[in-house]
């Protein structure tokens, strides 16, 4: 039941209207805003029932969004039960295209005019058959009506408010008077401004979100190998941040997030690799050490084939010479040629494995690459060439991954470009930390990361969270053709060693494992064969002291 106004209604109405106007402008939640509009209108006019309609996107029908009726204890929409399909859309035009003048709310919206009716049962010109059927079914009597269209700053109707049955101090139904209409229209005007502002804010946020996601999609589209990275990192980031939120986990005490904080972190996660839009395609797509336009390992394999054929020719020539002398090639020479052919096959296989970048290249393997480069082959013109040129030796000797120093500098430069791009944007106050969060996921806890060389103490918790999420997604992504899908146990072991190497944050990694965030993510995004058993007691990098504190606290 709504509160009654005092004995001085004019003063109280103005005072209450001002209070409501302030509250409307401060409300950020659309549903609560709508409910506040309807409740306030009923309170100011002493209506015991009311309905709020919203204009559909086609601008030719109205949708019930809230229905209140105190005598019947009906409270649909907002904090009550959903309106659902209980009430059909109200068309503004009939099937023949003519205006719907028979329904009071449709006429009010079409004419942008308030309609005040003393008694629906004695009113001519409008069709109240549906209302009377409702009354017959429920025992309610819909008598006095006050219907007000809500217009935005462009004069377009965005909603409509319909109030029923004004009650006097004795609880009797009376007609809405001119003062009721004035105050309801004033409230409707304020409500329209609040709704329009809320809608514009929401539309701008949707536009901004879409823009950020378009950038991420463009980056993903550049590389089919990492095509979902920019879409999955935001989800992993928010899952981990939510696990840390208010958990008072050791090392993360006091960390909590509001809805605005979540939105800020989500935005940063979507934009965390935006600098890759200018990273050359051949570097982003370099899946092997020798890949340029094509993988040059195939050219090296051709050279080995030439050496094998030269070896076979030499063997055949020697056999022919022996045959002319009535003899056969002795076992020692046959074994010699067989060993050389085996060495060629073994050397090629070694280079093919080294080319993948799937394992660390130790000093002895680099020495072997250098020895192989000193071998030679002869082309069709009789010119002598080394088996491997300087550039091939340099790339095959990359110790980890597939990028050489120059290429890695270009790839790491995407973070410089990310920061440069984001710091140029005039982010509003609630998004001021987006550049910091997005630009910190390649920093290290020991200050040896990039682009700014920040230490753990210089980084916020959200920035460190994104670093964990970025690495985990990259390790477990199953679309990359140059490596097998990595099981969880291997990915977490690698991340644990990165913690021990002061690359990743130890407290956040411990939380990530202890809270099972990795498993929640895996169930949504990993292949079934990647989800294996994890023994937390054997993982490196886990802070068991923190876990013991949590266990003792619980």
């Amino acid at each position: 039941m709504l509160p009654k106004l005092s004995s001085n209604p004019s003063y109280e109405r103005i005072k209450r209207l001002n209070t409501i106007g302030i509250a409307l402008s401060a409300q950020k939640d659309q549903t609560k805003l709508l409910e506040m509009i309807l409740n306030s209108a009923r309170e100011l006019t002493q209506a015991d029932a009311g309905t709020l309609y919203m204009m559909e996107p086609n601008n030719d029908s109205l949708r019930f969004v809230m229905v209140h009726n105190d005598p019947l204890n009906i409270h649909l929409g907002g904090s009550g039960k959903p309106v659902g399909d209980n009430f059909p859309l109200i068309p503004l035009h009939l099937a023949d295209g003519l205006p719907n003048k028979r329904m009071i709310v449709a006429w009010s919206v079409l004419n942008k005019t308030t309609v005040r009716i003393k008694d629906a049962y004695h009113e001519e010109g409008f069709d109240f058959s549906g209302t009377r059927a409702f009354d017959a079914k429920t025992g309610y009597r819909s008598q006095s009506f006050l219907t007000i269209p809500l217009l935005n700053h462009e004069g377009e109707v965005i909603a409509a408010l319909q109030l029923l049955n004004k009650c006097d101090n004795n609880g009797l139904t009376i007609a809405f008077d001119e003062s009721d209409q004035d105050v309801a229209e004033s409230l409707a005007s304020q409500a329209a401004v609040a709704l329009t502002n809320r809608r514009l804010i929401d539309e701008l946020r949707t536009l901004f979100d879409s823009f950020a996601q378009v950038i991420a999609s463009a980056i993903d589209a550049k590389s089919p190998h990492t095509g979902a990275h920019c879409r999955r990192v935001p989800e992993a980031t928010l899952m981990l941040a939510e696990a840390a939120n208010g958990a008072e986990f050791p090392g993360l005490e006091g960390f909590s997030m509001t809805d605005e904080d979540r939105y800020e972190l989500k935005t940063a996660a979507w934009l965390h690799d935006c600098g890759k839009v200018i990273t050359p395609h051949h570097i982003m797509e370099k899946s092997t050490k020798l890949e340029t336009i094509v993988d040059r390992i195939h050219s090296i394999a051709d050279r080995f084939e030439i050496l094998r054929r030269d070896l076979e020719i030499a063997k055949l020539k020697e056999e022919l010479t022996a045959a002319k002398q009535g003899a056969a090639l002795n076992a020692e020479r046959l074994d010699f040629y067989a060993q050389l052919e085996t060495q060629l096959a073994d050397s090629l296989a070694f280079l093919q494995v080294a080319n993948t970048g799937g394992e660390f290249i130790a000093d002895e393997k680099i020495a072997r690459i250098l020895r192989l480069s000193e071998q030679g082959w002869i082309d069709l013109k009789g010119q002598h060439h080394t088996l491997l040129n300087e550039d091939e030796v340099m790339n095959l000797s990359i110790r980890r991954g597939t990028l050489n120093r120059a290429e890695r500098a270009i790839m790491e430069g995407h973070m410089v470009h990310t920061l440069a791009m984001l710091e140029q944007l005039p982010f509003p106050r609630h998004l001021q930390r987006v550049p910091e969060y997005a630009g910190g996921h390649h920093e290290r806890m020991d200050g040896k990361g990039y682009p700014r060389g920040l230490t753990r103490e210089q980084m916020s918790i959200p920035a460190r969270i994104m670093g964990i999420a970025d690495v985990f997604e990259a390790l477990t992504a199953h679309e990359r053709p140059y490596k097998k899908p990595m099981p969880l146990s291997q990915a977490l072991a690698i991340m644990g060693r990165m913690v021990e190497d002061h690359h990743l944050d130890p407290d956040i990694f411990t939380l990530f494992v202890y809270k099972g965030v990795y498993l929640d993510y895996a169930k949504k995004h990993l292949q079934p064969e990647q989800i294996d058993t994890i023994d937390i007691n054997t993982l490196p990098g886990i802070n068991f002291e923190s876990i013991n504190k949590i266990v003792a606290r619980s």
Side-chain angles (χ1 to χ4, degrees), residues 297 300 304 347-355 369 372 388 396:
I297 193 67
I300 293 175
F304 271 90
S347 296
L348 176 59
F350 164 73
L351 293 177
Q352 288 171 331
V353 172
N355 183 46
I369 292 171
L372 287 172
L388 303 174
L396 286 168

Side-chain angles (χ1 to χ4, degrees), residues 222-223 225-226 276 278-288 291-293 402-414 482:
K222 287 184 68 175
S223 173
H225 298 166
T226 59
K276 284 184 177 178
I278 62 173
T279 302
H281 179 76
H282 70 277
I283 291 180
M284 286 187 64
E285 286 292 279
K286 192 182 182 190
S287 59
T288 65
E291 184 176 2
T292 51
I293 297 177
T402 62
L403 301 179
N404 59 44
R405 288 184 179 180
E407 292 165 340
R408 185 163 295 281
I410 294 173
M411 178 62 84
E412 292 179 354
H414 83 272
Y482 52 87

Side-chain angles (χ1 to χ4, degrees), residues 424-479:
Q424 290 183 59
L425 296 177
F427 285 108
R429 181 180 54 81
H430 66 286
L431 294 175
Q432 287 290 312
R433 294 173 294 186
V434 165
E436 178 214 339
Y437 295 166
H441 65 280
H442 283 299
E443 301 289 356
R444 290 172 51 111
M445 302 305 100
D446 57 8
K448 296 179 181 178
Y450 63 92
R452 290 176 169 168
L454 301 177
T455 63
R456 181 177 187 270
E457 292 72 23
Q458 294 173 304
M459 297 174 64
S460 64
I461 289 176
R464 286 180 268 152
I465 283 175
M466 198 180 301
I468 295 275
D470 184 74
V471 170
F472 182 68
E473 194 289 326
L475 289 175
T476 57
H478 55 82
E479 301 91 348

Side-chain angles (χ1 to χ4, degrees), residues 67 142 173 186 189 207 340 406:
V67 179
S142 303
T173 300
S186 178
S189 177
L207 176 63
L340 288 180

